[in-house]
Amino acid sequence: MRIEVSKECISKGIFVKHTEVIGVNNGKGTLETELREVEEKFRKTDPASLKDVPTVRVYRDFYWSLGIDPTKTRPSGEALRRRIARSGKLPRINDIVDAGNVVSASTLISIGIYDLKKISGEPRITLSSGGEKFDGIGNKSEILPPGIPIMVDGVGNVMHIFPHRDSIITSVSDSTRDVLIVGAGVRGIAEREVEEAVKETARLLSNLGGKVVHDVC
């Protein structure tokens, strides 16, 4: 699978790294050791100090450039670190989602995982024209204004508002076995960091019986 990034989005510093993993034995609780290791490592983190971590600062600056207040809508990695500091626990959803959360909390890179069987055609990242419908996970449907970076599939379904919100339409469920992993990069974050985060997510899923379809690209 190829993910096209529009020229307008490239000019905003947006890039992605991705791969696909198929045949994952998705269940619950298999990654408990990895989850607990991350929780133990970051349990004593001072949430106020996260804003000074370079990766968090870059994502926050990108959010501000979009008109999003990152103190209210947190970058996903920062949100997970804060959750650990607050409650000592990461969420337990299913093994595929948990793998992404382990890596995102560890690296602070935003990781999206999507059910391949729910994606029509090849995704692309572009700016919204205005009027697109977005069915966010855990949120009501909304109509997007123009100029928002989004990932859409080949028939125009909005899969993701870059780089922080995913749609229920292509979300991972307990029955998901084949996935697309996407690392969300922005100007100021090294491509290598995003690539390594995607590789680590794929490695965890390969440990669950999944087959990595191709190198991260």
Side-chain angles (χ1 to χ4, degrees):
M1 180 173 286
R2 184 175 67 95
I3 300 178
E4 177 188 356
V5 181
S6 72
K7 292 181 179 179
E8 293 81 6
C9 287
I10 291 173
S11 71
K12 291 181 176 292
I14 292 171
F15 67 93
V16 296
K17 297 293 181 179
H18 76 280
T19 192
E20 297 94 64
V21 182
I22 60 174
V24 179
N25 296 317
N26 194 19
K28 295 186 178 182
T30 310
L31 296 178
E32 189 62 28
T33 297
E34 289 82 357
L35 288 160
R36 288 181 179 178
E37 285 177 353
V38 174
E39 290 165 349
E40 181 62 29
K41 184 175 182 179
F42 297 111
R43 185 170 285 123
K44 296 181 180 180
T45 297
D46 176 9
S49 69
L50 283 169
K51 69 179 185 302
D52 299 319
V53 177
T55 300
V56 172
R57 191 164 62 244
V58 169
Y59 276 124
R60 282 188 171 208
D61 288 346
F62 180 76
Y63 277 37
W64 282 121
S65 75
L66 299 178
I68 299 170
D69 184 346
T71 66
K72 296 178 180 178
T73 302
R74 304 282 184 188
S76 59
E78 179 187 357
L80 289 167
R81 286 271 187 99
R82 285 176 174 272
R83 179 165 179 154
I84 294 170
R86 184 177 65 250
S87 69
K89 299 283 285 183
L90 286 170
R92 269 69 169 169
I93 309 299
N94 57 54
D95 290 337
I96 291 175
V97 175
D98 291 352
N101 285 342
V102 164
V103 174
S104 189
S106 299
T107 66
L108 295 172
I109 298 298
S110 293
I111 297 290
I113 307 181
Y114 310 91
D115 189 324
L116 274 175
K117 293 185 177 179
K118 298 177 181 177
I119 301 172
S120 299
E122 292 190 329
R124 58 191 175 91
I125 297 176
T126 187
L127 297 181
S128 60
S129 299
E132 294 93 342
K133 182 182 179 183
F134 176 71
D135 296 303
I137 295 175
N139 298 291
K140 295 181 179 178
S141 298
E142 60 183 278
I143 303 301
L144 299 178
I148 304 295
I150 55 176
M151 182 162 66
V152 298
D153 68 10
V155 296
N157 291 319
V158 181
M159 301 168 55
H160 173 75
I161 297 178
F162 190 94
H164 64 292
R165 293 180 63 192
D166 289 327
S167 168
I168 193 69
I169 293 175
T170 50
S171 63
V172 170
S173 68
D174 291 351
S175 62
T176 298
R177 289 177 54 81
D178 304 332
V179 298
L180 167 67
I181 305 169
V182 181
V186 298
R187 185 180 293 115
I189 295 177
E191 291 192 19
R192 175 186 51 79
E193 291 183 53
V194 181
E195 181 176 338
E196 289 302 318
V198 173
K199 283 182 177 179
E200 178 60 15
T201 308
R203 185 190 69 79
L204 290 175
L205 296 186
S206 67
N207 288 345
L208 301 175
K211 177 183 178 182
V212 180
V213 176
H214 60 78
D215 291 339
V216 175
C217 59

